[in-house]
């Protein structure tokens, strides 16, 4: 059995099909991983990082369990938490303006970063956010959080 299957990073993001491999060939998360230039575990959740900061009953350890595999088995040094605008799982907030929606995502990302940092103190935790391209409803630009 080959136990040397390590990689450099893990990406935690939403399961939303629009972010991933499409039949058209577009793949925003795939392109993001390619831009990092390293191999990554990919952990997708319905609701993105809400399972870290606002877990439904029974989900509170789900992301951390997956990340434990990344950290302990694959020896990742960096965890990227990637949120995205127009996330259906944030629909319950009933946002009426974009600024409020983005502020909620940014606050959640920072809270999730603190949770992951506390659990995996030796690992870097980086925050990214996919903002919709102007005029688009299914094209995102993934950038670092300010
Ligand atoms: Zn989403």
């Amino acid at each position: 059995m080959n136990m040397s299957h390590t990689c450099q990073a893990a990406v935690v993001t939403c399961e939303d099909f629009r972010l991933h491999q499409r039949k058209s060939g577009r793949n925003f998360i795939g392109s993001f991983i390619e831009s990092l230039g390293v191999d990554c575990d990919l952990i997708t959740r319905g609701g993105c990082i809400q399972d870290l900061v606002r877990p439904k009953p029974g989900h509170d350890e789900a992301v951390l369990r997956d990340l434990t595999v990344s950290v302990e088995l694959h020896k990742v040094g960096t965890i990227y938490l990637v949120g995205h605008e127009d996330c259906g799982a944030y629909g319950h907030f009933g946002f009426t303006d974009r600024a409020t929606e983005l502020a909620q995502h940014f606050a959640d990302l920072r809270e999730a970063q603190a949770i992951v940092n506390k659990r995996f103190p030796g690992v870097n935790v980086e925050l990214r956010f996919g903002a919709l391209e102007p005029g688009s409803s299914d094209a995102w630009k993934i950038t670092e959080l300010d």
Side-chain angles (χ1 to χ4, degrees), residues 12-32:
V12 181
T13 191
C14 189
E15 73 179 37
D16 191 328
F17 69 95
R18 298 173 299 163
L19 298 169
H20 301 284
Q21 185 69 52
R22 304 291 301 271
K23 60 183 180 182
S24 67
R26 289 197 312 182
N27 186 342
F28 293 99
I29 295 298
S31 296
F32 169 66

Side-chain angles (χ1 to χ4, degrees), residues 14 16 48 84 87-88:
C14 189
D16 191 328
C48 224
H84 76 101
C87 184

